[in-house]
Amino acid sequence: MRARGLPPTGEKCAFNNGGGVGGRESGAASSAVGEVVYEECQMVCLNAPYIPGFLAFRETPFLEEAVRRLQDKDPSLLPQVIFADGNGILHHREFGVACHLGVLTDLPCIGVAKNLLHVDGLEEKDLLKEKVKDLQKGGNAFSLTGSSGKVLGMALKSCEKSTKPIYVSVGHRISLDTALRLTHSCCKYRVPEPIRQADIRSREYIREKVHIP
């Protein structure tokens, strides 16, 4: 999908329970128009195990390849910003999948996670629940400040009907304020459309290619 003057893309890997085969989806996408202009799905063989905190080493090589292929096929669709289904600096080492992908492609990248990664003291659940209750309207947000004093990201109520926030963090070449604004502008539902569409399409592709009971 793409919006005029701003074609963001969503990157997503979806895997079957065996963990050996994955379907990867990438697509140029847009908040304003919502028109899908590019889509790619592929089956890939995974060489790295799933280890929490090391997701980038498992997924990023395939995502980088997808961006390179898009650049070769149609440079006009190369995204101005990438939404990664994962974290940026909101990470144990302040370098999640959105940072990896952004550095490797040298494109602005935003990390968007559906669950809060408990790092730097952010696991204080009671305090977090109270702050979430204050998110009354779509676009309301609060900063995620760790025990170190660093602002690692923002919790965002992405749309009016959403009952759970998403967690936005800087990946590469973008400010947190801009990342938050772009993420909210791309949300029809809880998850930004580029990631949501990539998720839907990659899962459909997996169901077609791999028998999952």
Side-chain angles (χ1 to χ4, degrees):
M1 322 165 142
R2 185 174 65 165
R4 286 176 199 175
L6 179 65
T9 190
E11 300 287 355
K12 174 75 181 183
C13 282
F15 305 101
N16 70 335
N17 291 335
V21 179
R24 189 211 48 250
E25 163 75 16
S26 65
S30 162
S31 58
V33 179
E35 174 192 0
V36 176
V37 296
Y38 176 83
E39 175 182 344
E40 178 187 280
C41 292
Q42 275 197 356
M43 299 297 292
V44 296
C45 292
L46 304 175
N47 299 314
Y50 172 72
I51 302 174
F54 291 86
L55 183 66
F57 295 96
R58 179 177 167 94
E59 297 189 0
T60 304
F62 305 115
L63 300 176
E64 182 194 4
E65 288 175 11
V67 174
R68 301 299 181 198
R69 273 195 298 275
L70 171 58
Q71 186 174 22
D72 291 339
K73 288 179 183 178
D74 192 344
S76 70
L77 293 179
L78 192 67
Q80 291 178 326
V81 62
I82 296 174
F83 287 95
D85 187 8
N87 291 295
I89 67 168
L90 179 53
H91 184 265
H92 298 94
R93 294 163 185 81
E94 296 185 21
F95 207 84
V97 64
C99 299
H100 280 256
L101 185 58
V103 169
L104 290 172
T105 61
D106 198 29
L107 291 170
C109 197
I110 301 169
V112 181
K114 293 182 281 293
N115 298 301
L116 179 63
L117 190 62
H118 293 165
V119 298
D120 197 10
L122 292 179
E123 64 275 4
E124 296 179 12
K125 295 183 179 180
D126 292 338
L127 178 60
L128 185 66
K129 285 180 180 179
E130 288 302 315
K131 288 186 176 181
V132 169
K133 288 179 182 178
D134 292 334
L135 301 178
Q136 300 295 321
K137 298 180 180 179
N140 287 170
F142 63 84
S143 61
L144 297 166
T145 304
S147 300
S148 65
K150 293 181 180 179
V151 177
L152 300 175
M154 299 288 288
L156 169 69
K157 182 178 175 67
S158 50
C159 66
E160 295 294 335
K161 294 183 179 180
S162 178
T163 58
K164 296 180 180 179
I166 55 175
Y167 302 96
V168 180
S169 57
V170 169
H172 185 61
R173 289 182 56 190
I174 197 165
S175 70
L176 183 56
D177 287 345
T178 301
L180 186 71
R181 177 174 56 81
L182 288 178
T183 301
H184 181 229
S185 72
C186 285
C187 288
K188 292 181 180 178
Y189 303 97
R190 183 187 177 213
V191 178
E193 278 301 291
I195 292 177
R196 195 176 79 91
Q197 289 298 325
D199 186 37
I200 291 170
R201 292 160 191 268
S202 63
R203 291 180 188 278
E204 288 176 351
Y205 184 77
I206 285 283
R207 281 194 292 269
E208 291 174 1
K209 295 294 182 180
V210 181
H211 175 66
I212 301 179

